[in-house]
Amino acid sequence: MRIHDAGAGGDGSISDTYDYEELPQHQDRKDLDAGALFVLKSKGRTWGRYYVGPIQLVVCYGAVVGNTLLGGECLKAIYLLSVPDGSMKLYEFVMIFGSMMLILAQFPSFHSLRYINLASLVLCLAYSACAATGSIYIGNSSNGAEKDYSLVGDTESRVFGMFNAIAIIATSFGNGIIPEIQATLAPPVKGKMFKGLCLCYAIVLVTFFSVAISGYWAFGNQADALILSNFVVDGRALMPKWFVFMTNMFTILQLSAVAVVYCQPTNEALERAFADPMSGELSLRNIVPRVISRSLVVIAAITLAAMLPFFGDINSFVGAFGFIPLDFILPAVFFNLTFKPSKRSPIFWVNITIAVIFSILGVIASIAAVRQIALDAETYKLFADV
């Protein structure tokens, strides 16, 4: 029998396994965790090494790129409120935000980020409340644009736009699952992961849904990928400037915390490749390669965010190629492969149906995401100031 440990696995997936038989024979039964022994038992290591692990790394790194771009957009919004005729470009603000990321990325482990994660939760609640409040305020005022909820574009654009939206929803409302699973794999697992996921999605419902609903109600089809962009029109704030400043600052600080969390799977892979486990975590032997490798990873994310400043497109791409398979397809497939329910049982066919439907959605959403990136690439040049 094999059990999972709490770290990212040697096969590149989120978790690793160990032989139960290798546990000390004198270990007391009270110290054993049935959740880790039975629930997290792994028999699909090839899947983890060659499919699940790479998807997880791509998804997490895509989130780092997207958050870096979003942070730059928020910095630019603050700048334009202060200097309406300013000449600084978006890529410059992406670099400024990225320089803060370079520092935060050097925190060695998840544990060292615990206070940053707590601050991230508070900031998430704060900026969501501010964004929803701002949308409602503008929607009820005479400053807001006339609400238009009609669909724009031709039939082809609408169809692909629908699948783009599905991928973006998968990213926005499913992005908490990977860090949550990573954080709750440590024993005792029984009940712990369920509670963690309940808390995760309760916060998602309170924060993201409130922003999405109030934003669409206030701005209709003119709602931007970053709803805070709708708070300012032609350099003029539609509500008190101090409120827009505050909301953007909450967002910037929270994005920096989120981005550094999503850096951790990549950091784990780098530590496995370059660190010496026989030396101390803070030894010179490990600090030097850590600083160099993590800095290069962050610099690459900054470059990608500055080159392709299309936040909605990045969200769609990550959702189509990452979150749809991880959240909807693989769990159903792995359940059937692991527990082998009878082909006559309803659960077997429910899982097959879920996997088939979301596989089709994933393929179409992937095509839609690549199409939209290609269209935007034709419209905007690299390092565009959007």
Side-chain angles (χ1 to χ4, degrees):
M1 187 178 296
R2 306 177 74 83
I3 62 172
H4 289 248
D5 84 341
D11 59 4
S13 61
I14 284 292
S15 57
D16 206 352
T17 55
Y18 295 96
D19 285 327
Y20 175 47
E21 288 78 4
E22 294 175 0
L23 292 173
Q25 296 300 315
H26 58 78
Q27 187 167 3
D28 194 283
R29 287 176 58 88
K30 294 180 181 178
D31 297 331
L32 297 178
D33 174 23
L37 285 172
F38 306 138
V39 178
L40 295 179
K41 177 172 59 177
S42 174
K43 298 180 181 179
R45 291 181 66 83
T46 301
W47 280 90
R49 180 184 296 274
Y50 298 110
Y51 186 65
V52 179
I55 288 181
Q56 288 171 338
L57 287 176
V58 170
V59 163
C60 290
Y61 195 67
V64 174
V65 175
N67 285 332
T68 303
L69 171 58
L70 197 56
E73 290 181 350
C74 291
L75 284 173
K76 181 185 176 183
I78 292 176
Y79 170 74
L80 290 179
L81 275 178
S82 305
V83 188
D85 298 324
S87 59
M88 290 184 68
K89 307 299 183 184
L90 176 59
Y91 67 85
E92 297 176 87
F93 294 103
V94 170
M95 293 171 63
I96 293 171
F97 182 86
S99 64
M100 179 168 60
M101 279 295 304
L102 280 172
I103 298 172
L104 292 176
Q106 307 309 324
F107 280 80
S109 66
F110 264 123
H111 182 70
S112 62
L113 294 172
R114 60 193 183 280
Y115 298 118
I116 292 180
N117 286 337
L118 177 60
S120 174
L121 171 60
V122 175
L123 289 166
C124 180
L125 295 172
Y127 86 71
S128 297
C130 289
T133 301
S135 296
I136 294 171
Y137 175 88
I138 296 172
N140 283 322
S141 71
S142 58
N143 293 330
E146 183 179 350
K147 301 180 182 68
D148 182 3
Y149 303 107
S150 62
L151 298 176
V152 295
D154 55 25
T155 302
E156 180 183 341
S157 298
R158 291 181 182 181
V159 171
F160 280 111
M162 177 183 69
F163 287 103
N164 251 338
I166 291 174
I168 291 173
I169 290 171
T171 302
S172 300
F173 301 111
N175 65 42
I177 193 168
I178 294 178
E180 192 57 52
I181 289 175
Q182 173 75 11
T184 53
L185 280 178
V189 173
K190 186 177 181 181
K192 185 178 179 183
M193 183 179 292
F194 179 74
K195 291 177 182 178
L197 289 174
C198 285
L199 176 62
C200 172
Y201 285 107
I203 294 172
V204 166
L205 287 172
V206 171
T207 56
F208 292 174
F209 264 98
S210 64
V211 174
I213 293 171
S214 61
Y216 185 70
W217 170 79
F219 306 109
N221 56 26
Q222 297 302 310
D224 198 78
L226 173 59
I227 201 66
L228 301 184
S229 300
N230 291 98
F231 289 10
V232 180
V233 177
D234 297 327
R236 180 177 61 90
L238 301 181
M239 56 190 315
K241 280 189 177 182
W242 65 266
F243 189 88
V244 180
F245 275 117
M246 180 180 68
T247 306
N248 276 285
M249 282 306 303
F250 284 158
T251 306
I252 290 167
L253 294 173
Q254 201 269 344
L255 287 170
S256 63
V258 171
V260 78
V261 168
Y262 274 100
C263 276
Q264 294 306 309
T266 305
N267 291 344
E268 188 279 334
L270 294 172
E271 296 277 312
R272 188 180 344 125
F274 300 115
D276 179 10
M278 302 305 294
S279 302
E281 182 181 52
L282 301 179
S283 65
L284 187 63
R285 163 64 182 82
N286 287 332
I287 287 178
V288 172
R290 178 182 301 138
V291 170
I292 295 174
S293 60
R294 294 188 182 190
S295 297
L296 290 175
V297 166
V298 173
I299 290 171
I302 295 170
T303 304
L304 287 173
M307 287 175 59
L308 302 170
F310 315 119
F311 180 66
D313 295 358
I314 293 175
N315 262 348
S316 177
F317 181 86
V318 171
F321 284 93
F323 283 110
I324 288 179
L326 287 177
D327 288 358
F328 302 106
I329 301 173
L330 293 181
V333 172
F334 287 168
F335 184 95
N336 281 358
L337 291 176
T338 302
F339 296 104
K340 296 181 173 58
S342 170
K343 293 183 179 179
R344 297 180 179 179
S345 65
I347 189 65
F348 177 86
W349 290 107
V350 168
N351 284 332
I352 291 294
T353 302
I354 291 173
V356 170
I357 290 175
F358 281 98
S359 294
I360 295 172
L361 280 177
V363 170
I364 299 175
S366 300
I367 295 172
V370 173
R371 171 184 176 274
Q372 191 60 47
I373 291 175
L375 290 175
D376 285 338
E378 290 180 359
T379 305
Y380 302 100
K381 60 181 180 181
L382 295 179
F383 299 98
D385 184 37
V386 296

